[in-house]
Amino acid sequence: MSEDGDFLVRFWGVRGSIATAAGPETVRYGGNTSCVEMRCGDRLLVFDSGTGARKLGQSLMSEQWDFDHFFSHTHFDHIVGLPFFSPAYRPDNRIRIRAGHLTAPDTMENALRLAMSAPMFPVPFDIFQAEISFEDFTAGDTLDLGDGITVRTAPLNHPNEATGYRVEYGNRSICYLTDTEHVPDSPDANLLTLMDGADIAIYDTTYTDEEFPNYIGWGHSTWQEGLRLAEVAGVKTFVLFHHDPNRTDDALDNIAKEAKSVFSGAVVAREGDTLRP
């Protein structure tokens, strides 16, 4: 457990779109898709359930948990780890699954049940033994989780919709902003609102500005655009996240150096890293 009042974010998956097999070109940054753990004192919050969720789940199995699991959206790279998330199979756990990108009659529960159904998956959602509940909110809502934890949300520009999050705890803030596509020369007001004065902002940096014109409509942004937003919003630490699966460790090292030269608070997300505001 975290110490009372501790606030942190830990990365279990930092790739986007598809997992990258472990190998000499990905050993330093990791190849799992999006999964982020936050601790607010003794409270656990999980964001997305890409392939990184498997290792996160293994790390949680020594204790009983009652926690909130937020999803940015339901594309495969953000949900594919859920069937392999061990805490969902422990009957004394309680998991509240929350999402803000779906509108009735579509629901988060229906989407996950569909993903774990024949002919796409061998066992159904009901294989889980934990007490699982669902809350579909509207992106833009503010959620009070109790214990001094506030979660602010906003819609992101992504195919089939997505939700961005800002977690506030103890006068500190961490933003989780993936997947989102920017419009050149038109800063996203929703993102700026969530990022305003944030201690840590985790942002979709799949592409570079040079690559971006080839991927308009794919729903992702660039590290340069993220830094432009971070500067305007007064972000303290900017985290490059959702790395292109073709991006090697050496390429990410080069981006890290360039980003650091532009913005001293820039950090490239690596699996296993922990940051504190």
Side-chain angles (χ1 to χ4, degrees), residues 86-108:
S86 300
Y89 295 89
R90 182 166 165 165
D92 56 350
N93 283 340
R94 296 180 62 192
I95 305 172
R96 288 171 297 281
I97 294 179
R98 302 176 187 259
H101 67 293
L102 296 172
T103 55
D106 294 325
T107 65
M108 189 66 188

Short mmCIF file of all heavy atoms in Angstrom, two decimals, residues 86-108:
data_model
loop_
_atom_site.label_atom_id
_atom_site.label_comp_id
_atom_site.label_asym_id
_atom_site.label_seq_id
_atom_site.Cartn_x
_atom_site.Cartn_y
_atom_site.Cartn_z
N SER A 86 -5.63 -10.65 -13.35
CA SER A 86 -5.88 -11.62 -12.27
C SER A 86 -6.86 -11.15 -11.19
O SER A 86 -7.67 -11.96 -10.70
CB SER A 86 -4.55 -12.03 -11.63
OG SER A 86 -3.71 -12.62 -12.59
N PRO A 87 -6.84 -9.87 -10.75
CA PRO A 87 -7.77 -9.47 -9.69
C PRO A 87 -9.24 -9.68 -10.03
O PRO A 87 -10.07 -9.81 -9.13
CB PRO A 87 -7.45 -7.98 -9.51
CG PRO A 87 -6.02 -7.85 -9.91
CD PRO A 87 -5.87 -8.80 -11.06
N ALA A 88 -9.57 -9.74 -11.32
CA ALA A 88 -10.96 -9.96 -11.72
C ALA A 88 -11.42 -11.38 -11.42
O ALA A 88 -12.63 -11.66 -11.42
CB ALA A 88 -11.13 -9.66 -13.21
N TYR A 89 -10.49 -12.27 -11.12
CA TYR A 89 -10.84 -13.67 -10.82
C TYR A 89 -10.84 -13.96 -9.33
O TYR A 89 -11.09 -15.09 -8.92
CB TYR A 89 -9.85 -14.61 -11.53
CG TYR A 89 -9.94 -14.54 -13.03
CD1 TYR A 89 -9.18 -13.63 -13.76
CD2 TYR A 89 -10.81 -15.37 -13.73
CE1 TYR A 89 -9.27 -13.55 -15.14
CE2 TYR A 89 -10.91 -15.31 -15.11
CZ TYR A 89 -10.14 -14.39 -15.81
OH TYR A 89 -10.23 -14.32 -17.18
N ARG A 90 -10.58 -12.96 -8.51
CA ARG A 90 -10.55 -13.15 -7.06
C ARG A 90 -11.89 -12.73 -6.47
O ARG A 90 -12.27 -11.55 -6.53
CB ARG A 90 -9.39 -12.34 -6.47
CG ARG A 90 -9.24 -12.52 -4.98
CD ARG A 90 -7.91 -11.99 -4.49
NE ARG A 90 -7.93 -11.84 -3.05
CZ ARG A 90 -6.86 -11.67 -2.27
NH1 ARG A 90 -5.65 -11.64 -2.83
NH2 ARG A 90 -6.98 -11.53 -0.97
N PRO A 91 -12.65 -13.64 -5.86
CA PRO A 91 -14.03 -13.34 -5.45
C PRO A 91 -14.16 -12.30 -4.35
O PRO A 91 -15.25 -11.74 -4.19
CB PRO A 91 -14.57 -14.70 -5.00
CG PRO A 91 -13.38 -15.53 -4.72
CD PRO A 91 -12.30 -15.06 -5.64
N ASP A 92 -13.11 -12.01 -3.59
CA ASP A 92 -13.22 -11.01 -2.53
C ASP A 92 -12.83 -9.62 -3.01
O ASP A 92 -12.77 -8.68 -2.21
CB ASP A 92 -12.38 -11.41 -1.31
CG ASP A 92 -10.91 -11.65 -1.63
OD1 ASP A 92 -10.56 -11.69 -2.83
OD2 ASP A 92 -10.12 -11.81 -0.68
N ASN A 93 -12.59 -9.43 -4.30
CA ASN A 93 -12.29 -8.11 -4.85
C ASN A 93 -13.56 -7.43 -5.35
O ASN A 93 -14.51 -8.10 -5.79
CB ASN A 93 -11.30 -8.21 -6.01
CG ASN A 93 -9.87 -8.43 -5.55
OD1 ASN A 93 -9.53 -8.16 -4.40
ND2 ASN A 93 -9.02 -8.91 -6.45
N ARG A 94 -13.54 -6.09 -5.29
CA ARG A 94 -14.62 -5.27 -5.86
C ARG A 94 -13.99 -4.32 -6.88
O ARG A 94 -13.05 -3.60 -6.56
CB ARG A 94 -15.35 -4.48 -4.78
CG ARG A 94 -16.08 -5.35 -3.76
CD ARG A 94 -16.76 -4.49 -2.72
NE ARG A 94 -17.78 -3.63 -3.33
CZ ARG A 94 -18.37 -2.62 -2.69
NH1 ARG A 94 -18.03 -2.32 -1.44
NH2 ARG A 94 -19.29 -1.91 -3.30
N ILE A 95 -14.53 -4.32 -8.09
CA ILE A 95 -14.00 -3.50 -9.18
C ILE A 95 -15.13 -2.68 -9.78
O ILE A 95 -16.15 -3.23 -10.21
CB ILE A 95 -13.35 -4.36 -10.27
CG1 ILE A 95 -12.27 -5.28 -9.67
CG2 ILE A 95 -12.74 -3.47 -11.36
CD1 ILE A 95 -11.71 -6.29 -10.67
N ARG A 96 -14.96 -1.36 -9.79
CA ARG A 96 -15.93 -0.46 -10.42
C ARG A 96 -15.34 -0.02 -11.77
O ARG A 96 -14.35 0.72 -11.80
CB ARG A 96 -16.21 0.75 -9.53
CG ARG A 96 -17.04 0.43 -8.30
CD ARG A 96 -17.11 1.60 -7.34
NE ARG A 96 -15.80 1.95 -6.82
CZ ARG A 96 -15.18 1.28 -5.82
NH1 ARG A 96 -15.77 0.23 -5.25
NH2 ARG A 96 -13.99 1.65 -5.41
N ILE A 97 -15.94 -0.48 -12.86
CA ILE A 97 -15.48 -0.12 -14.20
C ILE A 97 -16.22 1.12 -14.66
O ILE A 97 -17.46 1.16 -14.65
CB ILE A 97 -15.69 -1.29 -15.17
CG1 ILE A 97 -14.78 -2.47 -14.78
CG2 ILE A 97 -15.44 -0.86 -16.61
CD1 ILE A 97 -14.93 -3.70 -15.65
N ARG A 98 -15.46 2.14 -15.06
CA ARG A 98 -16.05 3.43 -15.42
C ARG A 98 -15.56 3.86 -16.81
O ARG A 98 -14.39 3.68 -17.14
CB ARG A 98 -15.66 4.51 -14.39
CG ARG A 98 -16.08 4.19 -12.94
CD ARG A 98 -15.56 5.28 -12.02
NE ARG A 98 -15.77 4.99 -10.61
CZ ARG A 98 -16.74 5.52 -9.86
NH1 ARG A 98 -17.62 6.33 -10.41
NH2 ARG A 98 -16.83 5.23 -8.58
N ALA A 99 -16.46 4.44 -17.60
CA ALA A 99 -16.11 4.94 -18.92
C ALA A 99 -17.06 6.05 -19.32
O ALA A 99 -18.22 6.07 -18.89
CB ALA A 99 -16.14 3.81 -19.95
N GLY A 100 -16.59 6.96 -20.17
CA GLY A 100 -17.41 8.12 -20.52
C GLY A 100 -17.61 8.32 -22.01
O GLY A 100 -18.10 9.38 -22.43
N HIS A 101 -17.27 7.31 -22.83
CA HIS A 101 -17.31 7.53 -24.28
C HIS A 101 -18.49 6.88 -24.98
O HIS A 101 -18.67 7.08 -26.19
CB HIS A 101 -16.01 7.00 -24.91
CG HIS A 101 -15.86 5.50 -24.83
ND1 HIS A 101 -15.69 4.84 -23.64
CD2 HIS A 101 -15.88 4.55 -25.80
CE1 HIS A 101 -15.59 3.55 -23.87
NE2 HIS A 101 -15.71 3.34 -25.16
N LEU A 102 -19.30 6.11 -24.26
CA LEU A 102 -20.40 5.39 -24.89
C LEU A 102 -21.74 6.02 -24.54
O LEU A 102 -21.91 6.58 -23.45
CB LEU A 102 -20.39 3.93 -24.45
CG LEU A 102 -19.16 3.12 -24.87
CD1 LEU A 102 -19.16 1.75 -24.21
CD2 LEU A 102 -19.10 2.98 -26.39
N THR A 103 -22.69 5.92 -25.46
CA THR A 103 -24.03 6.44 -25.21
C THR A 103 -25.05 5.32 -25.44
O THR A 103 -24.86 4.46 -26.31
CB THR A 103 -24.36 7.62 -26.15
OG1 THR A 103 -24.17 7.22 -27.51
CG2 THR A 103 -23.44 8.81 -25.86
N ALA A 104 -26.10 5.35 -24.64
CA ALA A 104 -27.13 4.30 -24.72
C ALA A 104 -27.68 4.22 -26.15
O ALA A 104 -27.84 5.24 -26.81
CB ALA A 104 -28.24 4.61 -23.73
N PRO A 105 -27.95 3.01 -26.64
CA PRO A 105 -27.99 1.74 -25.90
C PRO A 105 -26.63 1.06 -25.72
O PRO A 105 -26.55 0.01 -25.11
CB PRO A 105 -28.91 0.87 -26.74
CG PRO A 105 -28.65 1.34 -28.14
CD PRO A 105 -28.44 2.83 -28.03
N ASP A 106 -25.57 1.64 -26.28
CA ASP A 106 -24.24 1.07 -26.05
C ASP A 106 -23.82 1.33 -24.62
O ASP A 106 -24.06 2.42 -24.08
CB ASP A 106 -23.22 1.70 -27.01
CG ASP A 106 -23.49 1.34 -28.46
OD1 ASP A 106 -23.94 0.22 -28.70
OD2 ASP A 106 -23.23 2.19 -29.32
N THR A 107 -23.20 0.35 -23.99
CA THR A 107 -22.69 0.51 -22.63
C THR A 107 -21.32 -0.14 -22.55
O THR A 107 -20.95 -0.99 -23.38
CB THR A 107 -23.61 -0.16 -21.60
OG1 THR A 107 -23.61 -1.58 -21.81
CG2 THR A 107 -25.03 0.38 -21.68
N MET A 108 -20.57 0.23 -21.52
CA MET A 108 -19.26 -0.37 -21.31
C MET A 108 -19.40 -1.87 -21.05
O MET A 108 -18.62 -2.68 -21.56
CB MET A 108 -18.56 0.31 -20.13
CG MET A 108 -17.11 -0.08 -19.95
SD MET A 108 -16.11 0.51 -21.34
CE MET A 108 -14.55 -0.30 -20.98
#
